[in-house]
Amino acid sequence: ATTDRCFAQVNARVVYPVDVLQDSNFVSKVAGRAVSLVRLADLAYTVPANTLTFEAPAVDIFVGPSGTALETDPGVVPVGSTAPVPAATPVTALQHLTIADDSPARALIEQSVKAEQPFVFVLTVAPRIDAGEPIPGGAFEVDLFPQVQLGF
């Protein structure tokens, strides 16, 4: 009331499960071997379609155990955030979020892979439009490409 400003904010969430046992390469190459370490954990992404009339804010990415539905669920930890994307600008070149060796996200992914258990990525975005800005419109798509390299 003191600023007489209105805004609209939308919270969007996408849950992306990863099940190593559904990956035929993992099953055929790893079956019967003990995974000693995860050499690389990387989350590549693109934004192949973007017709938004406003800048897409950063997408926050979290990882959690199987069954995770929200970034606030037990055991869920942050991975990182994408860069904001200008209005109506697709991003076709792979962008990367390398998950640091000593991070809680890396530990959760490593534990899940070693135990051959699924894990879940949760993507959240909360675009906000302030009073006086043009009416928002459009849509955008974020494609994820998780990569885990193992050591035996």
Side-chain angles (χ1 to χ4, degrees):
T2 59
T3 62
D4 288 330
R5 293 196 53 135
C6 297
F7 69 90
Q9 182 169 325
V10 175
N11 296 311
R13 175 180 301 102
V14 175
V15 176
Y16 183 89
V18 176
D19 187 347
V20 294
L21 294 178
Q22 297 300 317
D23 183 338
S24 60
N25 284 332
F26 180 85
V27 173
S28 65
K29 293 179 181 176
V30 178
R33 295 184 179 178
V35 175
S36 65
L37 63 106
V38 173
R39 293 187 186 279
L40 172 73
D42 180 79
L43 188 60
Y45 66 93
T46 61
V47 182
N50 181 2
T51 61
L52 293 178
T53 59
F54 57 93
E55 177 181 86
V59 175
D60 296 321
I61 302 172
F62 302 85
V63 66
S66 180
T68 294
L70 301 169
E71 67 279 8
T72 55
D73 284 352
V76 176
V77 294
V79 172
S81 300
T82 67
V85 179
T89 305
V91 179
T92 55
L94 283 176
Q95 305 299 301
H96 293 271
L97 286 175
T98 299
I99 303 168
D101 290 347
D102 58 351
S103 71
R106 176 71 171 261
L108 188 144
I109 291 169
E110 260 186 58
Q111 291 167 355
S112 297
V113 169
K114 286 179 182 179
E116 297 182 4
Q117 296 293 317
F119 55 95
V120 177
F121 287 108
V122 179
L123 287 72
T124 65
V125 63
R128 176 183 164 133
I129 306 298
D130 288 317
E133 292 182 352
I135 303 243
F140 80 122
E141 173 185 331
V142 176
D143 290 345
L144 290 181
F145 306 96
Q147 178 184 16
V148 177
Q149 293 179 357
L150 306 175
F152 300 102

